[in-house]
Amino acid sequence: MAVTRTFSIIKPDATRRNLTGAVTAKLEEAGLRVVASKRIQMSQAQAEGFYAVHKERPFFGELVSFMVSGPVVVQVLEGEDAVKRNRDIMGATNPKDAADGTIRKLFAESIEANSVHGSDSEENAAIEIAFFFKPEEIVG
Ligand code: ATP
Ligand code: MG
């Protein structure tokens, strides 16, 4: 299996509860390496752009409001089959459905305040990484 990259966000519910390190530890334990990381306050326009694929969904407005409600940590993760590896350690979108030991089972507050985002395909990972990082900010 090839070493690939994916994009992760530690969401405002997790930064608010000082869980940046705890979440990152779970990612690292799962075999992912943090090759870029920065804590940012997303603007309304950035959040709307990032989640544009969801703009027709009923929760879009609330999702954008939540994502700008506090700082987030955007990260590039590297590892073997990184997209799937990250989705596996994140757990299901709704923490009620998430498997034991996953980040969302351990830390998420609700389906919306679910602590992490992870790219759902290699194609989207490349788009999302480029949305937040310049190539020289990623050091593998
Ligand atoms: P993410 O894209 O954040 O990694 P995901 O791929 O598991 O999560 P998506 O279906 O892409 O889930 O939804 C994006 C985000 O929108 C979810 O992480 C969650 O914060 C929010 N969301 C999804 N479904 C709902 C819902 N029914 N009600 C409120 N918020 C939701
Ligand atoms: Mg998604």
Side-chain angles (χ1 to χ4, degrees):
M1 194 62 74
V3 172
T4 56
R5 288 176 175 174
T6 191
F7 176 74
S8 169
I9 304 176
I10 302 176
K11 294 185 178 183
D13 66 286
T15 61
R16 179 169 44 77
R17 288 175 289 150
N18 211 21
L19 292 171
T20 298
V23 170
T24 303
K26 296 301 292 181
L27 299 172
E28 291 179 340
E29 283 164 20
L32 293 159
R33 180 178 296 273
V34 180
V35 296
S37 184
K38 58 188 171 189
R39 182 175 169 106
I40 61 166
Q41 172 62 55
M42 253 195 234
S43 68
Q44 183 85 9
Q46 262 178 320
E48 285 173 359
F50 182 75
Y51 278 120
V53 290
H54 295 312
K55 67 175 182 293
E56 304 305 330
R57 294 172 78 173
F59 57 80
F60 178 72
E62 282 178 22
L63 176 59
V64 168
S65 300
F66 168 62
M67 292 302 287
V68 305
S69 69
V72 300
V73 178
V74 291
Q75 297 178 318
V76 181
L77 308 176
E78 192 174 85
E80 284 195 6
D81 202 7
V83 169
K84 180 173 188 303
R85 195 175 282 259
N86 185 40
R87 298 289 298 189
D88 286 349
I89 191 61
M90 286 164 61
T93 308
N94 188 340
K96 290 187 184 134
D97 303 327
D100 284 346
T102 61
I103 291 169
R104 285 167 167 166
K105 178 74 171 195
L106 285 165
F107 302 125
E109 294 181 317
S110 66
I111 190 170
E112 179 181 83
N114 61 2
S115 301
V116 280
H117 162 84
S119 307
D120 58 12
S121 67
E122 286 199 22
E123 188 188 1
N124 283 336
I127 293 167
E128 292 173 4
I129 289 169
F131 196 90
F132 286 102
F133 290 98
K134 299 181 188 129
E136 63 268 28
E137 292 178 313
I138 306 168
V139 183

